[in-house]
């Protein structure tokens, strides 16, 4: 089975988010970038599946050369090879379009993404890829098992889950439950340096949407403290002042 | 050109987030003085359909087909896109629910439309532009997205738009479509529901517990508190990592992002990754025995105290409040 895992390069989860240029640019100054946590889960499952039933795992990223440490990390974790589409990832549509072009020329049985990227949180790449390739997509899966030419996935729904069977090829976005992220070992880190990383130039595509500025949430006022033995006072405040109960 | 709203149902019943999305779509239609058409797919009763009129839909396209009783991502996307084309609708609105997240990107591609997922405000159409605000960086910021294409798809974040009763006369039309076999490659085997509970992304009140609660055996009081408030339960990441609670309850940057009216954090320190997923809650209450816990800095109300003493008192106080009310 050939598996493609789409990986994104995102600000570390501890990053304090600030903007520059009159709130139009994300301030990357001093920001550490990491492999998107959900993509780590997708990658871990892809490796487990190919260990069990043969095949190989390729990772793909749409990004400029600065994303290579993240790509090397994915190779160290266990992907066999990597592709980087050499462009700034404007938005999910741009990313999905580039990756779909690559897949049309290089077919895969299974395409995994993360449930969302933790920067722009679109949950869009998986669905767009599915549509561009005219194959099924499941946006958020919490379990993925393969049995011959079919897979069983669990999809998250409000207050429960759905169990689906899907024939290959398809796209799915992984979240917790699919696998435990893998930590690269020494051998993986050494071999990652020599694993193939192909750089592909992007194709042109029109944009339909664009981020024009950012806002940071309004700060909250001073916290009102209530004495621990005065629970009634808190309930009173929530009822009469905050009006939430 | 009319606005099209996809009205998602769960087992034949529309959900609160659907009514929010209808109210929101109505407001968009009013901005441009156009009409609002709803599309419902699945097995929904006439009575339930008529209820949509209350929120401002003027026409309802009803697709009832045994094959489409349950959600089939590709087929639903094809039907909604076809309805948009047939009705000449240039704006498609839906809820950014789990299913909505599957539909919006496919609709964007089908309709060659810019997509805003997780919208939190009405579009700003000043000067002929179309700008929608959405959350970004897992709730640490907002992004203003300009849609430049003629067609537009907007998925509204749950709990971010107030339901408004508009009351228009409604007309229900059967809408039939030809489905293609290639849209049915993902088949539903089973739905597993934990029906007795309020679903976390939709909940108006969330009671959340962290590592300060020491172990899964202590969640009884969390559930009781949630129960009397009609709230959903949630937890911090280490709690679900340890298996004390299911992953589906984990909120934060790498879990579910919630924006309830009231978020009560009990025994949670308030790490930046946790705050990312809950900071758009309207009111935050923190109960922590450590006055220095970072969560107090972003809280509206707080109690510095031992959860094992405070929570039972809170439960008693709410019960008393309820008998008086
Ligand atoms: C990549 C990454 C992603 C992450 N994503 C998330 C995420 O999405 N969501 C998330 O929650 N975390 C996330 N984390 C983890 C996060 O950094 C914190 O470790 C976590 O939120 C801490 O959980 P906690 O507050 O329950 O536990 P702790 O930090 O251990 O805090 C426990 C709190 O309980 C209080 N306490 C103890 N006993 C009592 C008592 N008897 N009564 C009252 N209070 C008491 C303590 O004072 C303390 O403040 C992530 C971390 C990383 C590295
Ligand atoms: N620049 C990128 N390159 C490759 N894959 C990406 C990129 N951006 C996002 N993805 C994938 O798409 C998923 C969802 O991203 P998003 O739609 O932005 O929330 C991520 O978890 C990745 O798997």
């Amino acid at each position: 089975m050939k598996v493609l895992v789409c990986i994104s390069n995102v600000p570390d989860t501890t990053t304090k988010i600030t903007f520059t240029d009159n709130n139009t640019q994300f301030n990357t100054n001093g920001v550490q970038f990491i492999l998107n946590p959900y993509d780590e889960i997708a990658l871990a499952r892809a490796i487990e599946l190919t260990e069990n039933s043969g095949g190989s795992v390729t990772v793909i990223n749409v990004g400029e050369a600065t994303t290579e440490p993240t790509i090397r990390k994915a190779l160290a974790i266990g992907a066999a090879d990597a592709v980087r589409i050499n462009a700034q990832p404007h938005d999910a549509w741009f990313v999905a379009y580039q990756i779909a072009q690559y897949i049309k020329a290089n077919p895969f049985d299974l395409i995994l993404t993360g449930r969302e990227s933790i920067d722009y949180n679109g949950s869009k790449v998986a669905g767009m890829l599915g549509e561009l390739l005219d194959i099924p997509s499941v946006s958020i899966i919490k379990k993925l098992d393969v049995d011959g030419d079919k897979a069983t996935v669990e999809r998250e729904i409000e207050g429960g889950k759905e169990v689906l069977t899907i024939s290959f090829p398809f796209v799915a976005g992984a979240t917790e439950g699919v696998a435990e992220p893998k930590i690269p070992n020494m051998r993986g880190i050494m071999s990652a340096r020599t694993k193939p990383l192909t750089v592909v130039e992007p194709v042109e595509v029109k944009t339909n949407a664009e981020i024009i500025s950012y806002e940071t949430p309004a700060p909250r006022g001073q916290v009102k403290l209530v004495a621990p033995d005065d629970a009634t006072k808190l309930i009173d405040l929530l009822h009469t002042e905050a009006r939430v109960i | 050109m009319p606005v099209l709203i996809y009205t998602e149902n769960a087992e034949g019943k529309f959900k609160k987030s659907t009514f929010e999305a209808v109210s929101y779509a109505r407001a968009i239609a009013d901005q441009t003085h156009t009409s609002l058409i709803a599309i419902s797919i699945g097995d929904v009763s006439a009575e339930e359909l008529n209820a949509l009129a209350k929120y401002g839909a003027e026409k309802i396209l009803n697709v009832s087909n045994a094959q489409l009783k349950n959600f089939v991502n590709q087929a639903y996307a094809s039907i909604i896109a076809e309805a948009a084309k047939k009705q000449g609708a240039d704006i498609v609105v839906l809820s950014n629910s789990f299913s909505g997240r599957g539909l919006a990107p496919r609709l964007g591609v089908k309709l060659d439309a810019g997509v805003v997922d997780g919208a939190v405000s009405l579009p700003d159409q000043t000067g002929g532009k179309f700008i929608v605000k959405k959350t970004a960086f897992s709730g640490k910021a907002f992004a203003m997205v300009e849609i430049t294409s003629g067609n537009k798809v907007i998925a509204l974040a749950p709990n971010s738009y107030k339901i408004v009763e508009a009351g228009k006369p409604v007309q229900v039309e059967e809408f039939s479509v030809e489905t293609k076999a290639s849209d049915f490659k993902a088949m539903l085997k089973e739905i597993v529901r934990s029906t007795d509970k309020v679903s976390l992304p939709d909940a108006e009140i969330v009671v959340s517990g962290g590592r300060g609660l020491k172990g899964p055996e202590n969640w009884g009081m969390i559930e009781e508190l949630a129960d009397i408030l009609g709230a959903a339960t949630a937890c911090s990441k280490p709690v679900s990592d340890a298996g004390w609670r299911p992953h589906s309850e984990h909120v934060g940057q790498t879990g579910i992002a919630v924006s309830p009216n009231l978020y009560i954090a009990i025994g949670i320190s308030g790490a930046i990754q946790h705050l990312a997923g809950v900071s758009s809650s309207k009111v935050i209450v923190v109960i922590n025995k450590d006055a220095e816990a970072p969560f107090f800095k972003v809280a509206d109300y707080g109690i510095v105290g031992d959860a094992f003493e405070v929570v039972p008192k809170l439960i008693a106080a709410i019960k008393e409040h309820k008998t008086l009310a």
Side-chain angles (χ1 to χ4, degrees):
Chain A
M1 183 167 66
K2 287 188 68 177
V3 187
L4 182 70
V5 181
C6 305
I7 57 170
S8 51
N9 187 48
V10 296
D12 178 73
T13 57
T14 56
T15 309
K16 258 203 90 169
I17 304 294
T18 58
F19 304 99
T20 60
D21 296 338
N22 210 3
N23 281 334
T24 57
Q25 298 292 325
F26 169 48
N27 183 5
T28 54
N29 204 349
V31 173
Q32 177 87 27
F33 281 83
I34 57 164
L35 174 55
N36 188 34
Y38 296 113
D39 306 353
E40 280 191 45
I41 296 175
L43 177 59
R45 188 63 188 141
I47 293 166
E48 286 168 7
L49 288 173
T50 50
E51 273 169 3
N52 296 344
S53 54
S56 64
V57 179
T58 302
V59 291
I60 191 166
N61 169 256
V62 180
E64 292 173 318
T66 49
T67 68
E68 289 200 2
T70 292
I71 300 178
R72 291 284 171 207
K73 180 170 182 200
L75 291 170
I77 291 170
D81 59 349
V83 177
R84 180 170 66 81
I85 298 176
N86 189 26
Q88 217 194 319
H90 299 298
D91 64 355
W93 164 242
F94 181 86
V95 168
Y97 195 85
Q98 303 300 334
I99 297 177
Q101 288 309 108
Y102 181 81
I103 297 172
K104 281 180 188 163
N106 306 273
F108 288 86
D109 302 301
L110 173 63
I111 299 134
L112 293 178
T113 71
R115 136 209 199 134
E116 64 189 28
S117 57
I118 60 166
D119 44 7
Y120 297 106
N121 313 99
S123 279
K124 284 191 297 210
V125 171
M128 287 181 168
L129 270 177
E131 189 59 39
L132 286 164
L133 299 166
D134 198 19
I135 57 176
S137 57
V138 190
S139 285
I140 305 179
I141 56 164
K142 35 195 211 175
K143 204 161 185 291
L144 164 62
D145 287 309
V146 171
D147 179 16
D149 61 349
K150 271 202 158 64
T152 305
V153 302
E154 281 182 19
R155 177 176 90 89
E156 185 137 22
I157 57 172
E158 286 75 11
K161 63 181 182 194
E162 281 182 10
V163 185
L164 310 169
T165 51
I166 317 184
S167 51
F168 293 110
F170 67 89
V171 195
T175 190
E176 287 175 314
V178 165
E180 284 300 321
K182 286 190 197 309
I183 295 156
N185 57 26
M186 210 51 210
R187 196 152 52 95
I189 294 168
M190 298 302 287
S191 67
R193 293 190 194 147
T194 53
K195 284 181 179 172
L197 193 173
T198 315
V199 178
V200 179
E201 289 307 316
V203 288
E204 245 190 88
V205 51
K206 106 177 206 277
T207 50
N208 284 334
E210 202 159 7
I211 294 181
I212 52 166
S213 64
Y214 297 93
E215 276 177 16
T216 39
R220 283 174 202 267
Q222 187 74 23
V223 57
K224 263 194 196 169
L225 290 179
V226 175
D229 49 10
D230 208 357
T232 314
K233 167 111 181 275
L234 177 64
I235 300 306
D236 230 39
L237 285 168
L238 291 176
H239 181 62
T240 53
E241 188 179 83
R243 297 169 178 274
V244 285
I245 60 172
Chain B
M1 283 186 268
V3 174
L4 183 71
I5 162 86
Y6 165 59
T7 53
E8 178 179 338
N9 71 79
E11 289 173 341
K13 292 271 177 275
F14 294 125
K15 310 189 297 180
K16 179 175 142 268
S17 58
T18 300
F19 296 133
E20 289 167 359
V22 179
S23 304
Y24 176 83
R26 175 73 254 163
I28 296 181
D30 287 345
Q31 281 183 333
T32 46
H33 311 287
T34 182
S35 60
L36 179 64
I37 303 173
I39 178 160
S40 167
I41 309 175
D43 197 2
V44 181
S45 69
E47 191 190 349
E48 190 73 11
L49 286 172
N50 282 319
L52 289 176
K54 210 161 76 194
Y55 308 100
E58 287 144 330
K59 180 156 91 175
I60 300 166
L61 307 174
N62 183 34
V63 183
S64 62
N65 169 335
Q67 227 187 344
L68 297 167
K69 187 161 174 279
N70 292 304
F71 183 68
V72 186
N73 198 347
Q74 272 176 289
Y76 275 41
S78 295
I79 293 166
I80 298 166
E82 192 170 317
K85 285 178 189 157
K86 280 203 175 135
Q87 305 290 326
D90 57 347
I91 301 176
V92 179
V93 178
L94 66 172
S95 168
N96 199 43
S97 60
F98 288 112
S99 298
R101 285 169 178 236
L103 292 170
R106 296 198 81 114
L107 287 169
V109 175
K110 278 180 191 292
L111 298 169
D112 189 17
V115 183
V116 177
D117 47 84
V120 297
S121 76
L122 280 173
D124 176 355
Q125 303 205 42
T126 325
K129 296 207 161 144
F130 197 96
I131 299 167
V132 187
K133 181 171 167 178
K134 62 159 273 181
T135 50
F137 297 98
S138 313
K140 288 178 183 169
F142 297 102
M144 314 302 273
V145 184
E146 180 178 358
I147 305 187
T148 48
S149 51
N151 287 338
K152 301 166 179 78
V153 174
I154 308 175
L156 177 71
N159 276 325
S160 51
Y161 196 81
K162 265 208 154 36
I163 294 174
V164 184
E165 299 198 1
K168 300 248 171 182
V170 74
Q171 150 209 0
V172 179
E173 254 174 43
E174 293 304 314
F175 184 74
S176 65
V177 277
E178 294 217 3
T179 53
K180 46 178 191 164
S182 63
D183 276 349
F184 291 85
K185 283 186 187 152
M187 289 317 299
L188 181 71
K189 252 176 51 179
E190 189 189 358
I191 302 183
V192 184
R193 272 183 212 281
S194 31
T195 37
D196 52 327
K197 293 221 311 198
V198 183
S199 114
L200 184 54
D202 296 331
E204 288 181 11
I205 303 179
V206 173
V207 178
S208 191
R211 202 143 58 175
L213 290 167
K214 310 286 186 284
E217 67 280 5
N218 296 326
W219 247 261
M221 62 181 187
I222 299 294
E223 283 181 337
E224 185 179 355
L225 179 58
D227 206 40
I228 54 171
L229 286 170
T233 49
C235 67
S236 66
K237 178 167 158 51
V239 164
S240 64
D241 282 348
W244 298 358
R245 302 296 294 176
H247 281 308
S248 54
E249 282 195 7
H250 154 202
V251 293
Q253 182 151 20
T254 53
I256 292 187
V258 293
S259 53
N261 294 338
L262 173 61
Y263 184 80
I264 307 179
I266 304 167
I268 304 177
S269 57
I272 187 167
Q273 297 98 346
H274 186 86
L275 298 181
V278 307
S279 58
S280 55
S281 306
K282 274 130 220 141
V283 174
I284 293 178
V285 172
V286 169
I287 299 164
N288 195 303
K289 69 173 184 191
D290 174 10
E292 301 299 316
F295 222 142
F296 284 117
K297 293 209 175 68
V298 297
D300 300 288
Y301 300 97
I303 293 183
V304 180
D306 186 335
F308 297 98
E309 286 164 23
V310 173
V311 175
K313 282 187 190 143
L314 264 185
I315 293 171
I318 296 165
K319 283 185 177 155
E320 196 187 70
H321 168 82
K322 286 204 162 165
T323 52
L324 295 178

